[in-house]
Amino acid sequence: MAKLLSCVLGPRLYKIYRERDSERAPASVPETPTAITAPHSSSWDTYYQPRALEKHADSILALASVFWSISYYSSPFAFFYLYRKGYLSLSKVVPFSHYAGTLLLLLAGVACLRGIGRWTNPQYRQFITILEATHRNQSSENKRQLANYNFDFRSWPVDFHWEEPSSRKESRGGPSRRGVALLRPEPLHRGTADTLLNRVKKLPCQITSYLVAHTLGRRMLYPGSVYLLQKALMPVLLQGQARLVEECNGRRAKLLACDGNEIDTMFVDRRGTAEPQGQKLVICCEGNAGFYEVGCVSTPLEAGYSVLGWNHPGFAGSTGVPFPQNEANAMDVVVQFAIHRLGFQPQDIIIYAWSIGGFTATWAAMSYPDVSAVILDASFDDLVPLALKVMPDSWRGLVTRTVRQHLNLNNTEQLCRYQGPVLLIRRTKDEIITTTVPEDIMSNRGNDLLLKLLQHRYPRVMAEEGLQVVRQWLEASSQLEEASIYSRWEVEEDWCLSVLRSYQAEHGPDFPWSVGEDMSADGRRQLALFLARKHLHNFEATHCTPLPAQNFQMPWHL
């Protein structure tokens, strides 16, 4: 009877992975009260085959879930319509509640029938036995057997807690349950007295900004968090996860962040291979509709690196909502997991981000300054110009205020706090982070990210002459035009390297540098072009084209 109840309340099982012969363990688990046989590919189909009763009950419950999601998103319009028609009176609400209660009872009955169908299936009974054993005792053998199954991630046991590192338990300067530290935007009206009257005047605007950010704004910024989109992508995500587990020996883990969100991660370990880059870990930060199952993790994987992918809060197996604070909290526990559980030193960690993932990547670089390098692909400097691009001009004030207060992705500010090597990859046909049209390469916000970074690190070089020549170089739409500008100013790379190395030897590596202060205008132009070419590489593609492995290169450093 207890097993039947476990089958009724248990998670949905999607797939049983093929297990490699070298990884197979003995047939039983000594820590569990009953012998549990691990699933073998010879006797088990890799796709879980539900019985007819479970299959049809699952279909009904899935359809009900979709209808509930549609009702949730359309509820404001529905309530407005019902109110106008007079259907919200007590005499009409009471019968409706009876219908709703009857429907819930029917769905509960369907869930019980699904549990009976699972109970009659030996595959599911074996799975639920392993899951219960793992929750009781998270031994390495139990976890290894549980990793053979792909199921609803909400039932996966937590593998790593944000407070687990001993240094955080002893330190008072680490993150609290409220979250890690973020850079806060400056007040829009500096010098204005923050009196009670001013606060009251600002209250309607603040309420409006809050509502916009938590309804339309967040879903526009992170469409991957919308349930209906995830439901449509589920088969693709399951296939991508199976590829990572079966072909790349990926290991899935659940991390608990300081805000209580559970973060879904996938780790592929290449340290045992002959390739030297396997000793380096690449932490991948996905885009606003990207998932590690089908996202940018494939690029460093093909290049031979160890890889740690994770999903944004609210994406696939991760819980929560993807606001900047939650994003930073998630990135913090991911980095802590890489250092304290996976055993990588910060000097062996590379942060790689695509598109909106640049926010968490630059936050990690700012907060963990010892990481080896940062690579930003198709990223931008600030969210405000891109938000203004897609919203009406009359909403300019509301959009700016909403972004600054609730969705402030200030990539440049965070990146300028990092002292290590940085590589920016600009898509020459990018249609997402341009503020006009894809053909207008100068409206690509990656240009602004480069210029602000160079101006922070080399302010004397990026004076008027240096800034002007770098803008000319950024206007080049082909490699031939780039080379033409580079040769026109007769850039001597050996001379540039000697100048930078001698300055570093004399003044140290910390930015900003005053190099170029006593240099001629031509010298500053040469040095500015040299630095721009070292910090930014062009990739002739649109925003969503996967980056080839040969374009995944380590950033330049002296």
Side-chain angles (χ1 to χ4, degrees):
M1 193 65 181
K3 187 65 66 178
L4 176 59
L5 182 62
S6 297
C7 291
V8 172
L9 301 177
R12 184 175 181 182
L13 178 59
Y14 299 114
K15 185 176 174 65
I16 303 174
Y17 294 125
R18 294 191 301 270
E19 192 175 15
R20 297 178 184 271
D21 293 336
S22 60
E23 296 179 349
R24 288 179 181 165
S28 63
V29 183
E31 292 87 350
T32 59
T34 57
I36 304 170
T37 304
H40 296 291
S41 58
S42 58
S43 58
W44 296 83
D45 192 341
T46 57
Y47 280 96
Y48 171 63
Q49 301 296 326
R51 300 288 173 87
L53 185 60
E54 179 187 357
K55 182 178 180 181
H56 294 311
D58 251 336
S59 299
I60 294 172
L61 293 175
L63 187 62
S65 177
V66 171
F67 278 131
W68 169 255
S69 182
I70 294 174
S71 302
Y72 172 78
Y73 289 119
S74 60
S75 58
F77 305 102
F79 275 112
F80 180 75
Y81 175 80
L82 293 174
Y83 175 77
R84 292 293 301 270
K85 293 293 183 180
Y87 292 144
L88 294 182
S89 60
L90 187 62
S91 60
K92 294 183 178 180
V93 169
V94 172
F96 176 77
S97 64
H98 292 163
Y99 297 142
T102 303
L103 180 60
L104 289 176
L105 287 175
L106 289 174
L107 291 176
V110 172
C112 291
L113 291 175
R114 181 181 65 177
I116 295 173
R118 290 171 172 176
W119 184 63
T120 61
N121 192 325
Q123 285 184 317
Y124 194 90
R125 286 206 312 273
Q126 185 180 47
F127 155 69
I128 203 69
T129 302
I130 295 175
L131 179 61
E132 290 176 340
T134 307
H135 278 288
R136 287 193 301 269
N137 181 7
Q138 293 193 33
S139 65
S140 58
E141 178 60 23
N142 285 354
K143 284 187 175 183
R144 187 198 65 80
Q145 290 201 29
L146 188 64
N148 291 326
Y149 297 92
N150 188 355
F151 55 97
D152 190 338
F153 201 62
R154 288 174 292 185
S155 298
W156 189 286
V158 173
D159 297 289
F160 184 84
H161 193 281
W162 69 281
E163 284 185 320
E164 187 169 320
S166 57
S167 60
R168 292 201 161 185
K169 295 179 181 178
E170 299 168 0
S171 173
R172 295 183 179 179
S176 65
R177 293 188 182 275
R178 297 180 61 184
V180 298
L182 290 179
L183 296 179
R184 299 298 177 184
E186 294 183 358
L188 294 178
H189 303 288
R190 299 186 64 180
T192 304
D194 193 16
T195 62
L196 179 61
L197 180 60
N198 284 331
R199 291 184 181 182
V200 172
K201 289 180 179 179
K202 295 176 184 177
L203 189 59
C205 295
Q206 292 175 347
I207 294 175
T208 304
S209 295
Y210 179 89
L211 293 175
V212 170
H214 286 75
T215 53
L216 179 67
R218 190 258 295 176
R219 291 172 176 84
M220 287 184 64
L221 188 59
Y222 289 95
S225 64
V226 177
Y227 172 77
L228 293 177
L229 177 61
Q230 294 184 33
K231 196 73 175 176
L233 291 175
M234 181 62 73
V236 179
L237 299 181
L238 292 176
Q239 185 178 5
Q241 199 167 96
R243 180 184 67 85
L244 291 171
V245 172
E246 296 177 342
E247 299 178 15
C248 303
N249 293 323
R251 301 205 307 263
R252 200 178 187 188
K254 177 186 282 189
L255 317 183
L256 186 65
C258 60
D259 53 13
N261 287 337
E262 298 170 346
I263 307 303
D264 183 6
T265 68
M266 180 68 72
F267 171 56
V268 178
D269 195 353
R270 296 281 179 78
R271 284 174 289 188
T273 64
E275 298 176 348
Q277 58 265 41
Q279 304 302 316
K280 296 282 188 178
L281 176 69
V282 178
I283 298 179
C284 299
C285 305
E286 299 290 346
N288 64 354
F291 304 80
Y292 72 69
E293 292 89 342
V294 291
C296 64
V297 297
S298 60
T299 298
L301 272 178
E302 292 177 15
Y305 291 88
S306 295
V307 173
L308 177 59
W310 61 283
N311 280 330
H312 297 283
F315 282 53
S318 297
T319 61
V321 288
F323 282 103
Q325 183 65 67
N326 298 346
E327 288 277 294
N329 296 340
M331 188 64 185
D332 178 66
V333 76
V334 168
V335 177
Q336 288 291 321
F337 175 68
I339 296 172
H340 296 282
R341 179 61 62 84
L342 301 182
F344 287 91
Q345 295 299 315
Q347 296 82 2
D348 295 325
I349 294 177
I350 301 156
I351 310 295
Y352 169 50
W354 172 63
S355 190
I356 209 170
F359 172 74
T360 48
T362 54
W363 181 88
M366 173 185 70
S367 304
Y368 294 89
D370 293 331
V371 295
S372 176
V374 174
I375 302 174
L376 303 180
D377 178 16
S379 197
F380 51 88
D381 62 325
D382 186 35
L383 181 61
V384 170
L386 298 174
L388 293 174
K389 162 193 169 182
V390 298
M391 302 303 289
D393 288 339
S394 57
W395 291 25
R396 175 177 291 271
L398 174 63
V399 170
T400 303
R401 183 167 48 250
T402 301
V403 170
R404 287 286 177 249
Q405 292 181 358
H406 303 284
L407 303 167
N408 191 35
L409 306 186
N410 49 345
N411 296 348
T412 299
E413 287 185 75
Q414 296 183 152
L415 187 60
C416 288
R417 303 286 183 101
Y418 176 61
Q419 297 284 330
V422 175
L423 174 63
L424 309 179
I425 300 174
R426 182 180 67 166
R427 309 293 183 103
T428 58
K429 299 178 181 178
D430 202 310
E431 73 281 13
I432 302 298
I433 64 168
T434 49
T435 54
T436 55
V437 294
E439 292 76 20
D440 182 12
I441 197 169
M442 281 306 292
S443 70
N444 188 310
R445 297 304 299 188
N447 301 333
D448 301 86
L449 184 57
L450 172 71
L451 292 173
K452 291 173 183 177
L453 176 65
L454 294 181
Q455 285 176 315
H456 169 75
R457 291 190 168 189
Y458 311 98
R460 301 293 187 271
V461 174
M462 294 299 293
E464 185 177 351
E465 303 89 355
L467 183 62
Q468 183 179 6
V469 75
V470 171
R471 287 186 182 277
Q472 292 177 7
W473 180 77
L474 289 171
E475 288 179 3
S477 57
S478 66
Q479 292 184 352
L480 186 61
E481 290 183 26
E482 284 183 46
S484 174
I485 295 173
Y486 206 70
S487 61
R488 184 194 310 167
W489 293 104
E490 299 178 347
V491 178
E492 298 179 17
E493 296 195 353
D494 292 339
W495 175 80
C496 294
L497 281 172
S498 66
V499 169
L500 294 172
R501 284 171 178 163
S502 62
Y503 181 91
Q504 185 185 53
E506 183 177 352
H507 298 90
D510 292 341
F511 297 108
W513 287 8
S514 59
V515 63
E517 192 171 16
D518 300 324
M519 193 177 291
S520 66
D522 285 343
R524 284 196 292 269
R525 291 190 186 98
Q526 287 192 49
L527 206 52
L529 277 176
F530 174 80
L531 291 168
R533 197 176 192 184
K534 293 296 184 182
H535 284 80
L536 184 140
H537 293 174
N538 281 325
F539 176 44
E540 192 172 349
T542 57
H543 188 78
C544 296
T545 304
L547 185 71
Q550 62 266 25
N551 290 74
F552 187 79
Q553 303 171 5
M554 288 300 101
W556 168 82
H557 63 92
L558 285 175

